[in-house]
């Protein structure tokens, strides 16, 4: 099956020798690397996500700083989150339909390419003698839309490239990736924006998308099942009704909107920090 090509690249090796208590405690503290060793597609997707995550945080910090510099308004900075919220919710539903109907690898690659092009638009705008404000809001909305379309395809691809028994370890490694990116990414972004400038931040983001694409295009294809229906508004409506009937699914949307609100607060807090460092 094409979508499972990266699942078992290396045979499992078991260590028959008993481990010492100290070694056993050390292993208990370290993450389980079974999916990393067993699946080349997992390694590529994990590394693509790590690199892209750092680039995303560069723009995450640079965008509100630039809005504040151009408008001098804290309300204008907060409006970035407002224009992102609707695409975040609406396109998330449509992304699930697209993930069921099309090859997941292709959908991920195309949305990643779109996100990279949007970062390039920010770079070009920042290099203009008089950067415009409106492209910042357009890019923010479109980026939220593409991210929401990409997310269901990513979430449904992991079980296809990781063996069932390795899924808990894969979830743990993905959580580690998000934690590292969430802690180190904003800190690195603040340094780049404050000392190198907005143009360099956007340029670095574009570069990370290029690296991410190099990993993603090498992932095995993951075609839709033959029974999958084509994308339609009816399918979106059916998905919305199903999600409404499942409280645990509604909870995931609540988590995502809560994450969005937390990121908005972080954005507004990042502006004075970056400006202070720049001064």
């Amino acid at each position: 099956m094409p979508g499972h090509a990266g699942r078992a690249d290396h045979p499992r090796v078991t260590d028959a020798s008993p481990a010492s208590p100290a070694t056993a405690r050390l292993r208990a503290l370290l993450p389980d690397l079974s999916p990393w060793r067993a699946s080349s597609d997992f390694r590529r997707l994990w590394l693509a996500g790590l690199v892209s995550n750092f680039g995303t945080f560069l723009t995450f910090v640079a965008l509100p700083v630039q809005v504040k510099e151009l408008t001098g308004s804290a309300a204008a900075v907060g409006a970035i989150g407002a224009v992102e919220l609707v695409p975040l919710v609406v396109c998330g539903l449509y992304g699930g339909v697209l993930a069921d109907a099309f090859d997941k690898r292709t959908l991920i690659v195309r949305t990643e390419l779109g996100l990279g092009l949007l970062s390039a638009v920010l770079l070009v705008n920042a290099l203009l003698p008089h950067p415009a404000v409106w492209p910042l809001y357009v890019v923010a909305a479109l980026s939220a839309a593409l991210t929401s379309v990409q997310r269901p395809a990513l979430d449904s691809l992991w079980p296809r490239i990781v063996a069932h028994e390795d899924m808990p370890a894969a979830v743990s490694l993905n959580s580690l990736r998000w934690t590292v990116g969430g802690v180190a990414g904003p800190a690195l972004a603040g340094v780049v924006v404050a000392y190198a400038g907005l143009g360099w931040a956007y340029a670095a983001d574009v570069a990370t998308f290029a690296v991410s694409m190099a990993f993603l295009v090498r992932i095995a294809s993951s075609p839709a099942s033959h029974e999958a229906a084509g994308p339609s508004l009816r399918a979106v409506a059916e998905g919305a009704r199903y999600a409404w009937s499942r409280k645990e699914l509604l909870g995931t949307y609540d988590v995502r909107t809560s994450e969005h609100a937390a990121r908005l607060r972080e954005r507004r807090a990042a502006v004075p920090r970056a400006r202070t460092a720049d001064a």
Side-chain angles (χ1 to χ4, degrees), residues 125-167:
N125 183 61
L127 295 178
L128 294 175
H130 303 287
V133 176
W134 65 266
L136 307 182
Y137 292 101
V138 173
V139 168
L142 292 178
S143 295
L146 287 177
T147 301
S148 293
V149 168
Q150 186 186 73
R151 179 77 175 266
L154 280 171
D155 290 344
S156 58
L157 183 59
W158 294 111
R160 293 196 174 198
I161 63 176
V162 177
H164 177 73
E165 62 270 19
D166 287 336
M167 278 304 297

Side-chain angles (χ1 to χ4, degrees), residues 38-216:
S39 172
S40 61
D41 279 349
F42 176 85
R43 293 193 295 272
R44 292 170 185 139
L45 193 57
W46 194 92
L47 288 171
L50 180 66
V51 173
S52 181
N53 200 25
F54 274 95
T56 298
F57 273 111
L58 286 169
T59 297
F60 175 79
V61 173
L63 192 64
V65 170
Q66 188 174 23
V67 170
K68 189 62 165 39
E69 288 183 352
L70 294 176
T71 65
S73 169
V77 174
I80 299 174
V83 301
E84 290 175 335
L85 184 57
V86 173
L88 185 72
V89 176
V90 175
C91 294
L93 293 172
Y94 194 58
V97 174
L98 293 177
D100 291 337
F102 296 110
D103 183 285
K104 294 172 178 56
R105 192 276 305 269
T106 301
L107 184 59
I108 292 169
V109 168
R110 290 182 178 179
T111 50
E112 193 78 358
L113 177 60
L115 289 166
L117 291 175
L118 290 175
S119 292
V121 170
L122 293 175
L123 172 60
V124 172
N125 183 61
L127 295 178
L128 294 175
H130 303 287
V133 176
W134 65 266
L136 307 182
Y137 292 101
V138 173
V139 168
L142 292 178
S143 295
L146 287 177
T147 301
S148 293
V149 168
Q150 186 186 73
R151 179 77 175 266
L154 280 171
D155 290 344
S156 58
L157 183 59
W158 294 111
R160 293 196 174 198
I161 63 176
V162 177
H164 177 73
E165 62 270 19
D166 287 336
M167 278 304 297
V171 171
S172 177
L173 288 172
N174 283 331
S175 178
L176 175 64
R177 185 195 74 195
W178 280 107
T179 301
V180 170
V183 173
L188 176 63
V191 172
V192 173
V193 170
Y195 294 102
L198 294 168
W200 282 104
Y202 292 138
D205 191 16
V206 173
T208 61
F209 277 114
V211 175
S212 174
M213 287 287 295
F215 286 117
L216 292 175

Side-chain angles (χ1 to χ4, degrees), residues 14 184 239 245:
T14 57
S245 67

